[in-house]
Amino acid sequence: MIAKPMMHKTSIDLNLETLKKCMPEQLQTQSVTAALLALGSNYQAEHYLSRVREDLAALGEIQLSTAFENPDFTSTEAQPKPDYTNQCVYLLLTVPISLQQLQQIFKDLEGECHRQRLTEAQTPIKKVTMDIDILLIRTALNKNSLSNKMSSKQIISEWLIMADRYPFKAHEEVGVEELISTKI
């Protein structure tokens, strides 16, 4: 198990049952203020997870769930595959950015970890250095887009579940619930 570092606490209150589920394609231009992420690696996981957590902390405040080692669900006795280390991360962004920009940042981080998607597709045993998936986002919607001087009462904040990631995998659900229960 990977130790989780102490991070700043930020309060959120989520009820997954009542949250709206949206396809990421519908939200590309939405301004994102926070995200709940799923990280995964089955190759040099401790190294790559540590590196990505550092990069994420540079984007804002982070809170980490416990890291879990899980078997690859496609593994068989005839074709064993390496276990994954998975961890959920709450990221409170310092500066809101669009979902499209956030997705690109995560693709770039995966690339910096030497993620080779083409090679993965061509081999039966995939070495995944880093996978970053967005599970939920918190959007900031302006009530009055004509005003440049907005008070916090004029900004509506809403948590949305990425419909293409729901229902969550067991380790994602455990990680998200852990983060919610600790009132990140």
Side-chain angles (χ1 to χ4, degrees), residues 51-148:
R51 178 180 176 162
V52 164
R53 288 189 299 252
E54 250 181 60
D55 292 337
L56 292 173
L59 297 172
E61 293 182 33
I62 64 171
Q63 179 69 35
L64 307 172
S65 74
T66 303
F68 296 98
E69 196 166 291
N70 300 297
D72 185 323
F73 70 92
T74 64
S75 183
T76 64
E77 210 172 292
Q79 186 158 24
K81 296 180 181 178
D83 290 345
Y84 274 85
T85 300
N86 299 104
Q87 185 170 41
C88 287
V89 178
Y90 168 74
L91 170 62
L92 176 62
L93 293 163
T94 303
V95 177
I97 59 175
S98 73
L99 178 59
Q100 184 177 29
Q101 291 170 310
L102 194 60
Q103 289 171 320
Q104 187 58 55
I105 288 170
F106 295 157
K107 289 267 186 243
D108 292 345
L109 291 177
E110 290 173 344
E112 290 169 15
C113 289
H114 312 292
R115 174 91 190 250
Q116 302 291 319
R117 291 182 190 278
L118 292 176
T119 306
E120 289 172 27
Q122 297 168 354
T123 60
I125 299 177
K126 299 174 181 172
K127 287 185 179 178
V128 179
T129 56
M130 181 49 53
D131 184 42
I132 305 171
D133 294 315
I134 302 171
L135 304 177
L136 297 103
I137 61 169
R138 186 174 67 198
T139 61
L141 306 170
N142 294 337
K143 274 187 177 179
N144 178 359
S145 61
L146 300 176
S147 173
N148 288 336

Side-chain angles (χ1 to χ4, degrees), residues 166-179:
Y166 196 79
F168 299 142
K169 294 176 182 170
H171 62 271
E172 294 168 342
E173 190 171 322
V174 168
V176 168
E177 290 295 335
E178 180 183 338
L179 290 171

